[in-house]
mmCIF file of all heavy atoms in Angstrom:
data_model
loop_
_atom_site.group_PDB
_atom_site.id
_atom_site.type_symbol
_atom_site.label_atom_id
_atom_site.label_comp_id
_atom_site.label_asym_id
_atom_site.label_seq_id
_atom_site.Cartn_x
_atom_site.Cartn_y
_atom_site.Cartn_z
ATOM 1 N N SER R 1326 -71.375 36.992 60.535
ATOM 2 C CA SER R 1326 -70.501 36.759 59.374
ATOM 3 C C SER R 1326 -69.028 36.937 59.751
ATOM 4 O O SER R 1326 -68.251 37.567 59.042
ATOM 5 C CB SER R 1326 -70.884 37.686 58.221
ATOM 6 O OG SER R 1326 -72.242 37.492 57.858
ATOM 7 N N ALA R 1327 -68.636 36.344 60.885
ATOM 8 C CA ALA R 1327 -67.300 36.540 61.448
ATOM 9 C C ALA R 1327 -66.174 36.140 60.501
ATOM 10 O O ALA R 1327 -65.137 36.811 60.467
ATOM 11 C CB ALA R 1327 -67.165 35.767 62.763
ATOM 12 N N ILE R 1328 -66.363 35.102 59.733
ATOM 13 C CA ILE R 1328 -65.300 34.634 58.842
ATOM 14 C C ILE R 1328 -65.002 35.694 57.786
ATOM 15 O O ILE R 1328 -63.848 36.106 57.610
ATOM 16 C CB ILE R 1328 -65.676 33.284 58.206
ATOM 17 C CG1 ILE R 1328 -65.780 32.209 59.292
ATOM 18 C CG2 ILE R 1328 -64.665 32.879 57.130
ATOM 19 C CD1 ILE R 1328 -66.496 30.945 58.865
ATOM 20 N N GLU R 1329 -66.034 36.142 57.122
ATOM 21 C CA GLU R 1329 -65.869 37.158 56.078
ATOM 22 C C GLU R 1329 -65.381 38.489 56.672
ATOM 23 O O GLU R 1329 -64.475 39.129 56.122
ATOM 24 C CB GLU R 1329 -67.190 37.373 55.350
ATOM 25 C CG GLU R 1329 -67.118 38.397 54.250
ATOM 26 C CD GLU R 1329 -68.463 38.609 53.566
ATOM 27 O OE1 GLU R 1329 -69.359 37.755 53.689
ATOM 28 O OE2 GLU R 1329 -68.603 39.651 52.906
ATOM 29 N N LEU R 1330 -65.953 38.879 57.800
ATOM 30 C CA LEU R 1330 -65.565 40.145 58.420
ATOM 31 C C LEU R 1330 -64.104 40.110 58.866
ATOM 32 O O LEU R 1330 -63.357 41.069 58.648
ATOM 33 C CB LEU R 1330 -66.487 40.458 59.598
ATOM 34 C CG LEU R 1330 -66.260 41.780 60.317
ATOM 35 C CD1 LEU R 1330 -66.285 42.962 59.358
ATOM 36 C CD2 LEU R 1330 -67.297 41.957 61.424
ATOM 37 N N ASN R 1331 -63.679 39.005 59.464
ATOM 38 C CA ASN R 1331 -62.285 38.865 59.873
ATOM 39 C C ASN R 1331 -61.356 39.022 58.673
ATOM 40 O O ASN R 1331 -60.349 39.723 58.741
ATOM 41 C CB ASN R 1331 -62.068 37.508 60.549
ATOM 42 C CG ASN R 1331 -60.639 37.265 60.965
ATOM 43 O OD1 ASN R 1331 -59.900 38.179 61.324
ATOM 44 N ND2 ASN R 1331 -60.229 36.014 60.922
ATOM 45 N N ARG R 1332 -61.699 38.403 57.558
ATOM 46 C CA ARG R 1332 -60.853 38.471 56.375
ATOM 47 C C ARG R 1332 -60.816 39.897 55.802
ATOM 48 O O ARG R 1332 -59.789 40.351 55.319
ATOM 49 C CB ARG R 1332 -61.288 37.432 55.354
ATOM 50 C CG ARG R 1332 -61.101 36.003 55.939
ATOM 51 C CD ARG R 1332 -61.356 34.899 54.973
ATOM 52 N NE ARG R 1332 -60.362 34.842 53.923
ATOM 53 C CZ ARG R 1332 -59.115 34.382 54.068
ATOM 54 N NH1 ARG R 1332 -58.697 33.943 55.244
ATOM 55 N NH2 ARG R 1332 -58.283 34.341 53.042
ATOM 56 N N GLU R 1333 -61.932 40.604 55.878
ATOM 57 C CA GLU R 1333 -61.958 42.010 55.441
ATOM 58 C C GLU R 1333 -61.048 42.872 56.315
ATOM 59 O O GLU R 1333 -60.322 43.724 55.816
ATOM 60 C CB GLU R 1333 -63.378 42.562 55.494
ATOM 61 C CG GLU R 1333 -64.287 42.038 54.417
ATOM 62 C CD GLU R 1333 -65.721 42.510 54.583
ATOM 63 O OE1 GLU R 1333 -65.969 43.470 55.361
ATOM 64 O OE2 GLU R 1333 -66.612 41.917 53.948
ATOM 65 N N ILE R 1334 -61.099 42.641 57.623
ATOM 66 C CA ILE R 1334 -60.290 43.415 58.557
ATOM 67 C C ILE R 1334 -58.803 43.126 58.355
ATOM 68 O O ILE R 1334 -57.978 44.028 58.449
ATOM 69 C CB ILE R 1334 -60.721 43.134 60.017
ATOM 70 C CG1 ILE R 1334 -62.158 43.617 60.244
ATOM 71 C CG2 ILE R 1334 -59.764 43.785 61.022
ATOM 72 C CD1 ILE R 1334 -62.804 43.083 61.509
ATOM 73 N N MET R 1335 -58.471 41.873 58.054
ATOM 74 C CA MET R 1335 -57.070 41.507 57.809
ATOM 75 C C MET R 1335 -56.554 42.138 56.531
ATOM 76 O O MET R 1335 -55.419 42.596 56.473
ATOM 77 C CB MET R 1335 -56.910 39.984 57.694
ATOM 78 C CG MET R 1335 -57.003 39.246 58.990
ATOM 79 S SD MET R 1335 -56.532 37.500 58.835
ATOM 80 C CE MET R 1335 -57.496 36.930 57.453
ATOM 81 N N GLY R 1336 -57.337 42.108 55.472
ATOM 82 C CA GLY R 1336 -56.893 42.606 54.172
ATOM 83 C C GLY R 1336 -56.240 41.518 53.347
ATOM 84 O O GLY R 1336 -56.064 40.384 53.798
ATOM 85 N N ALA R 1337 -55.870 41.859 52.133
ATOM 86 C CA ALA R 1337 -55.264 40.902 51.202
ATOM 87 C C ALA R 1337 -53.974 40.330 51.778
ATOM 88 O O ALA R 1337 -53.243 41.013 52.497
ATOM 89 C CB ALA R 1337 -54.983 41.582 49.868
ATOM 90 N N THR R 1338 -53.692 39.067 51.434
ATOM 91 C CA THR R 1338 -52.478 38.391 51.904
ATOM 92 C C THR R 1338 -51.233 39.196 51.566
ATOM 93 O O THR R 1338 -50.326 39.332 52.374
ATOM 94 C CB THR R 1338 -52.381 36.981 51.295
ATOM 95 O OG1 THR R 1338 -53.556 36.248 51.635
ATOM 96 C CG2 THR R 1338 -51.159 36.244 51.788
ATOM 97 N N ASN R 1339 -51.195 39.736 50.353
ATOM 98 C CA ASN R 1339 -50.085 40.579 49.941
ATOM 99 C C ASN R 1339 -50.360 41.988 50.462
ATOM 100 O O ASN R 1339 -51.297 42.650 50.005
ATOM 101 C CB ASN R 1339 -49.968 40.591 48.416
ATOM 102 C CG ASN R 1339 -48.816 41.419 47.921
ATOM 103 O OD1 ASN R 1339 -48.291 42.273 48.633
ATOM 104 N ND2 ASN R 1339 -48.416 41.186 46.685
ATOM 105 N N PRO R 1340 -49.554 42.465 51.404
ATOM 106 C CA PRO R 1340 -49.835 43.784 51.981
ATOM 107 C C PRO R 1340 -49.823 44.920 50.960
ATOM 108 O O PRO R 1340 -50.493 45.931 51.162
ATOM 109 C CB PRO R 1340 -48.734 43.966 53.026
ATOM 110 C CG PRO R 1340 -47.719 42.931 52.734
ATOM 111 C CD PRO R 1340 -48.388 41.836 51.980
ATOM 112 N N ASP R 1341 -49.113 44.740 49.852
ATOM 113 C CA ASP R 1341 -49.107 45.768 48.806
ATOM 114 C C ASP R 1341 -50.469 45.889 48.124
ATOM 115 O O ASP R 1341 -50.784 46.920 47.539
ATOM 116 C CB ASP R 1341 -48.040 45.467 47.753
ATOM 117 C CG ASP R 1341 -46.628 45.592 48.307
ATOM 118 O OD1 ASP R 1341 -46.426 46.322 49.297
ATOM 119 O OD2 ASP R 1341 -45.722 44.937 47.745
ATOM 120 N N GLN R 1342 -51.285 44.828 48.204
ATOM 121 C CA GLN R 1342 -52.609 44.820 47.587
ATOM 122 C C GLN R 1342 -53.725 45.037 48.608
ATOM 123 O O GLN R 1342 -54.895 45.099 48.247
ATOM 124 C CB GLN R 1342 -52.831 43.505 46.849
ATOM 125 C CG GLN R 1342 -51.853 43.286 45.714
ATOM 126 C CD GLN R 1342 -51.948 41.886 45.123
ATOM 127 O OE1 GLN R 1342 -52.661 41.024 45.613
ATOM 128 N NE2 GLN R 1342 -51.202 41.671 44.052
ATOM 129 N N ALA R 1343 -53.370 45.132 49.888
ATOM 130 C CA ALA R 1343 -54.372 45.291 50.944
ATOM 131 C C ALA R 1343 -54.915 46.719 50.963
ATOM 132 O O ALA R 1343 -54.214 47.678 50.639
ATOM 133 C CB ALA R 1343 -53.754 44.945 52.300
ATOM 134 N N GLU R 1344 -56.165 46.834 51.335
ATOM 135 C CA GLU R 1344 -56.829 48.133 51.439
ATOM 136 C C GLU R 1344 -56.278 48.925 52.625
ATOM 137 O O GLU R 1344 -55.945 48.342 53.663
ATOM 138 C CB GLU R 1344 -58.335 47.944 51.622
ATOM 139 C CG GLU R 1344 -59.037 47.337 50.425
ATOM 140 C CD GLU R 1344 -59.085 48.273 49.233
ATOM 141 O OE1 GLU R 1344 -59.261 49.492 49.438
ATOM 142 O OE2 GLU R 1344 -58.941 47.781 48.104
ATOM 143 N N PRO R 1345 -56.222 50.243 52.510
ATOM 144 C CA PRO R 1345 -55.814 51.069 53.652
ATOM 145 C C PRO R 1345 -56.722 50.797 54.858
ATOM 146 O O PRO R 1345 -57.919 50.571 54.705
ATOM 147 C CB PRO R 1345 -56.004 52.492 53.143
ATOM 148 C CG PRO R 1345 -55.895 52.377 51.654
ATOM 149 C CD PRO R 1345 -56.498 51.033 51.313
ATOM 150 N N GLY R 1346 -56.128 50.810 56.034
ATOM 151 C CA GLY R 1346 -56.884 50.583 57.259
ATOM 152 C C GLY R 1346 -57.002 49.134 57.667
ATOM 153 O O GLY R 1346 -57.534 48.838 58.738
ATOM 154 N N THR R 1347 -56.526 48.212 56.825
ATOM 155 C CA THR R 1347 -56.559 46.794 57.183
ATOM 156 C C THR R 1347 -55.299 46.430 57.964
ATOM 157 O O THR R 1347 -54.289 47.147 57.930
ATOM 158 C CB THR R 1347 -56.670 45.886 55.937
ATOM 159 O OG1 THR R 1347 -55.515 46.087 55.113
ATOM 160 C CG2 THR R 1347 -57.944 46.187 55.151
ATOM 161 N N ILE R 1348 -55.367 45.329 58.675
ATOM 162 C CA ILE R 1348 -54.224 44.880 59.475
ATOM 163 C C ILE R 1348 -52.982 44.736 58.611
ATOM 164 O O ILE R 1348 -51.909 45.232 58.961
ATOM 165 C CB ILE R 1348 -54.551 43.547 60.185
ATOM 166 C CG1 ILE R 1348 -55.618 43.771 61.257
ATOM 167 C CG2 ILE R 1348 -53.287 42.917 60.781
ATOM 168 C CD1 ILE R 1348 -56.223 42.497 61.820
ATOM 169 N N ARG R 1349 -53.116 44.064 57.492
ATOM 170 C CA ARG R 1349 -51.944 43.790 56.665
ATOM 171 C C ARG R 1349 -51.385 45.046 56.000
ATOM 172 O O ARG R 1349 -50.174 45.173 55.843
ATOM 173 C CB ARG R 1349 -52.267 42.693 55.662
ATOM 174 C CG ARG R 1349 -52.453 41.344 56.376
ATOM 175 C CD ARG R 1349 -52.918 40.275 55.456
ATOM 176 N NE ARG R 1349 -52.922 38.972 56.129
ATOM 177 C CZ ARG R 1349 -53.641 37.955 55.715
ATOM 178 N NH1 ARG R 1349 -54.412 38.068 54.637
ATOM 179 N NH2 ARG R 1349 -53.593 36.800 56.364
ATOM 180 N N LYS R 1350 -52.233 45.970 55.631
ATOM 181 C CA LYS R 1350 -51.742 47.220 55.039
ATOM 182 C C LYS R 1350 -51.004 48.050 56.093
ATOM 183 O O LYS R 1350 -49.967 48.640 55.813
ATOM 184 C CB LYS R 1350 -52.901 48.027 54.444
ATOM 185 C CG LYS R 1350 -52.451 49.232 53.659
ATOM 186 C CD LYS R 1350 -51.636 48.810 52.454
ATOM 187 C CE LYS R 1350 -51.499 49.890 51.425
ATOM 188 N NZ LYS R 1350 -50.847 49.379 50.209
ATOM 189 N N GLU R 1351 -51.556 48.065 57.296
ATOM 190 C CA GLU R 1351 -51.000 48.903 58.356
ATOM 191 C C GLU R 1351 -49.770 48.284 59.028
ATOM 192 O O GLU R 1351 -48.872 49.015 59.440
ATOM 193 C CB GLU R 1351 -52.061 49.191 59.424
ATOM 194 C CG GLU R 1351 -53.303 49.891 58.896
ATOM 195 C CD GLU R 1351 -53.013 51.218 58.214
ATOM 196 O OE1 GLU R 1351 -52.191 51.993 58.727
ATOM 197 O OE2 GLU R 1351 -53.600 51.463 57.137
ATOM 198 N N PHE R 1352 -49.724 46.942 59.160
ATOM 199 C CA PHE R 1352 -48.713 46.328 60.019
ATOM 200 C C PHE R 1352 -47.803 45.296 59.361
ATOM 201 O O PHE R 1352 -46.738 44.992 59.910
ATOM 202 C CB PHE R 1352 -49.385 45.664 61.223
ATOM 203 C CG PHE R 1352 -50.233 46.597 62.039
ATOM 204 C CD1 PHE R 1352 -51.559 46.298 62.301
ATOM 205 C CD2 PHE R 1352 -49.718 47.781 62.538
ATOM 206 C CE1 PHE R 1352 -52.348 47.139 63.061
ATOM 207 C CE2 PHE R 1352 -50.501 48.643 63.299
ATOM 208 C CZ PHE R 1352 -51.820 48.321 63.562
ATOM 209 N N ALA R 1353 -48.192 44.705 58.231
ATOM 210 C CA ALA R 1353 -47.392 43.625 57.635
ATOM 211 C C ALA R 1353 -46.022 44.121 57.194
ATOM 212 O O ALA R 1353 -45.869 45.253 56.740
ATOM 213 C CB ALA R 1353 -48.135 43.020 56.452
#
């Protein structure tokens, strides 16, 4: 399920809405 898993790891497009520990929350 690489597509879904990749998107979970990235987090929401808006970093303010991304879950802690996701790429976008941590680095965007």
Side-chain angles (χ1 to χ4, degrees):
S1326 302
I1328 295 164
E1329 180 181 342
L1330 183 54
N1331 178 32
R1332 297 186 68 75
E1333 287 175 15
I1334 296 165
M1335 286 190 310
T1338 303
N1339 181 341
D1341 293 336
Q1342 298 171 354
E1344 294 291 322
T1347 62
I1348 292 168
R1349 291 174 173 159
K1350 188 63 163 187
E1351 301 302 318
F1352 303 126

